[in-house]
Amino acid sequence: MIMKTNRFRSKFREFSSILRNEYRHIFHDAGVILIVIGAIFIYSTAYSLAYKNEVLRNVRLAVGDNSHTAQSRQLVRALDATPNLRVAYKSSSLEEAKRLFHERKINGIIVIPSDYEKKIMRNERVNISIYADASYFLMYRQVFFDVMGSVLYSNSQIEWVRFVAKGAQPGQAAALSNPVQTTIENMYNPYGGYATFIMPAILIVIIQQTLLIGIGMVGGTWRERGLYKTLIPWGEKRLSVIPIVLGKSTAYLSIYCATLLYVMGFHYKVFGYPSNGAAGDVVLFLIPYLLSCTFLGIALSSLFRRRENSLLLLLFTSIPFLMLSGASIPQESMPQWLFQLGRIIPSSSGVDGFIRIRTMGATLSEVSVQFWTLWILSGLYFILACLGMRGVLLRVEKGK
């Protein structure tokens, strides 16, 4: 019993020593502070400010009104009255409108045919041409849907006048001209905005990437300065790898727990992102996510001989990891084998589960697949981290 107690105390002293050393190297290294602490505040704020408008406003259009009638002018007014579109030019020809488009002065073209009013009065079908910039998907979506909404509104007004002229009461005419009314409610994204859609995923990926890069930089510094030799005192056995891994991981987990309080609390409230899930479920879900990211970072750090290697290897992976998570590119649009391969990255399950809880209001049991996947990854990367540290210590020991 006494031997077990002494062994526990010895391991705890090793753990405490590693923890203190890791804190010292984190807070005495300006580069690591910038990555581990500053980058989260900088990137989360910068991206949120860039996307704060949520939807595109005042998308510029050119309208070619070849009809020059009361009905066509009513349609133009309806287009200009929408909050997202602005009729910036009234072109005399399609060629002039094309020139404005190629000069990037407009983002869409509407052409009203010369027989617009005549066909409407005859109750015939009218073809209105819509040219939208499909190279910019958000712009294309804004132009197409708002123009269609304006056309439908203008048509209902024409029908209303027609029914009133036939003797119908205004209320009856309104019901006949617009028999089916639609009510659109954007679930989980009330503004239908891009920021609410993409920012939760970006925040989760930022947490992972800053952890991996920061841990890698500290690990590279240890290799550059030969600090791993201090873990193998002369004439004594080297420290056990488990206290080393636990000490290092505890340092980063404590820092990121404080950081997440800011992100999930203050940052979410300032920018108005949906917070539908229970706070307890969010915390419980993020525990295995942080653990898996931290252990993966420690495992990778054992491979770096220079602190710059971490930046060179991991910085460019942010966009691929975001894509593999299924946030920016739907899962259905990528090869299944590629999506399944991406599951070995913590951010894939982390982004999916976090959005379901925080944005969509799911419970922890409803994201059990993602939750247990992260725990499995935590165990796997913990083993790899221990093996990586053991390999580093063996190499240092042989070099003595």
Side-chain angles (χ1 to χ4, degrees):
M1 190 67 175
I2 296 176
M3 291 181 62
K4 289 184 178 180
T5 302
N6 291 336
R7 184 179 301 173
F8 175 78
R9 289 177 179 174
S10 175
K11 300 300 181 187
F12 184 76
R13 284 195 297 269
E14 293 177 6
F15 164 82
S16 300
S17 176
I18 294 297
L19 179 61
R20 289 193 300 270
N21 284 335
E22 201 70 14
Y23 275 134
R24 187 180 304 114
H25 285 93
I26 291 172
F27 290 106
H28 285 79
D29 190 322
V32 175
I33 293 176
L34 180 62
I35 294 295
V36 173
I37 300 175
I40 294 180
F41 295 94
I42 295 170
Y43 281 120
S44 61
T45 303
Y47 278 112
S48 297
L49 288 174
Y51 297 138
K52 69 174 183 174
N53 291 330
E54 294 280 1
V55 296
L56 295 172
R57 298 289 188 186
N58 294 320
V59 178
R60 295 164 300 177
L61 298 179
V63 175
D65 185 2
N66 297 319
S67 178
H68 302 291
T69 59
Q71 298 296 342
S72 64
R73 286 191 290 271
Q74 179 184 345
L75 176 58
V76 174
R77 286 194 296 270
L79 291 170
D80 202 31
T82 60
N84 302 324
L85 301 181
R86 179 167 66 91
V87 178
Y89 296 92
K90 294 182 180 179
S91 305
S92 58
S93 66
L94 181 59
E95 292 303 319
E96 181 186 357
K98 286 182 178 179
R99 179 180 58 79
L100 292 170
F101 176 81
H102 291 304
E103 293 175 356
R104 311 307 296 172
K105 293 182 178 179
I106 57 174
N107 305 103
I109 303 170
I110 312 299
V111 178
I112 303 174
S114 57
D115 56 356
Y116 176 74
E117 186 176 67
K118 183 185 296 184
K119 286 191 174 182
I120 284 178
M121 301 308 292
R122 291 177 179 176
N123 202 23
E124 297 177 0
R125 178 177 295 177
V126 183
N127 293 321
I128 295 177
S129 300
I130 304 173
Y131 301 88
D133 185 359
S135 64
Y136 185 2
F137 183 74
L138 291 178
M139 197 77 71
Y140 165 79
R141 174 183 175 273
Q142 205 76 64
V143 171
F144 182 78
F145 283 103
D146 281 9
V147 168
M148 292 302 298
S150 298
V151 170
L152 291 174
Y153 171 77
S154 181
N155 287 347
S156 67
Q157 292 297 103
I158 294 169
E159 289 294 317
W160 184 86
V161 172
R162 184 175 295 163
F163 284 122
V164 169
K166 291 181 179 179
Q169 295 296 321
Q172 293 176 326
L176 291 170
S177 61
N178 192 12
V180 179
Q181 290 188 342
T182 57
T183 300
I184 300 175
E185 294 186 10
N186 295 320
M187 298 177 65
Y188 318 124
N189 189 347
Y191 307 110
Y194 190 69
T196 302
F197 161 71
I198 198 65
M199 275 308 300
I202 290 177
L203 290 172
I204 293 297
V205 174
I206 288 174
I207 291 169
Q208 173 184 272
Q209 295 304 97
T210 53
L211 258 174
L212 298 182
I213 295 172
I215 295 173
M217 289 178 67
V218 173
T221 301
W222 276 60
R223 293 287 292 275
E224 283 183 2
R225 299 179 181 178
L227 298 176
Y228 282 108
K229 293 181 179 180
T230 62
L231 304 181
I232 311 176
W234 287 103
E236 299 181 21
K237 293 178 64 177
R238 64 175 181 273
L239 300 187
S240 301
V241 294
I242 292 180
I244 295 174
V245 172
L246 292 180
K248 283 177 168 288
S249 59
T250 301
Y252 295 99
L253 288 172
S254 61
I255 293 172
Y256 273 77
C257 284
T259 302
L260 282 172
L261 287 176
Y262 160 80
V263 174
M264 300 304 155
F266 180 78
H267 187 84
Y268 253 67
K269 288 183 179 179
V270 167
F271 291 97
Y273 299 137
S275 301
N276 296 316
D281 288 343
V282 175
V283 172
L284 290 174
F285 182 81
L286 288 175
I287 289 173
Y289 179 68
L290 288 177
L291 286 173
S292 59
C293 292
T294 303
F295 293 145
L296 175 59
I298 295 173
L300 292 175
S301 70
S302 65
L303 305 175
F304 300 139
R305 294 182 175 275
R306 300 283 185 273
R307 57 186 282 117
E308 293 81 9
N309 294 152
S310 174
L311 282 168
L312 294 174
L313 180 64
L314 296 172
L315 190 61
F316 79 95
T317 61
S318 301
I319 293 178
F321 287 167
L322 181 63
M323 295 170 62
L324 289 173
S325 69
S328 60
I329 297 178
Q331 173 187 346
E332 294 78 12
S333 298
M334 68 175 73
Q336 191 62 25
W337 66 267
L338 184 59
F339 179 78
Q340 294 300 330
L341 181 63
R343 298 291 288 273
I344 65 173
I345 307 301
S347 58
S348 294
S349 297
V351 167
D352 190 14
F354 178 77
I355 290 177
R356 289 173 186 269
I357 295 175
R358 197 61 167 167
T359 302
M360 303 172 70
T363 61
L364 196 62
S365 61
E366 291 173 327
V367 294
S368 59
V369 174
Q370 294 83 357
F371 181 68
W372 289 112
T373 298
L374 289 174
W375 275 116
I376 292 171
L377 291 177
S378 298
L380 174 64
Y381 290 136
F382 175 75
I383 294 172
L384 292 177
C386 291
L387 293 175
M389 285 295 106
R390 185 175 184 274
V392 171
L393 294 179
L394 285 174
R395 288 193 294 270
V396 172
E397 198 171 31
K398 290 178 180 178
K400 270 189 167 183

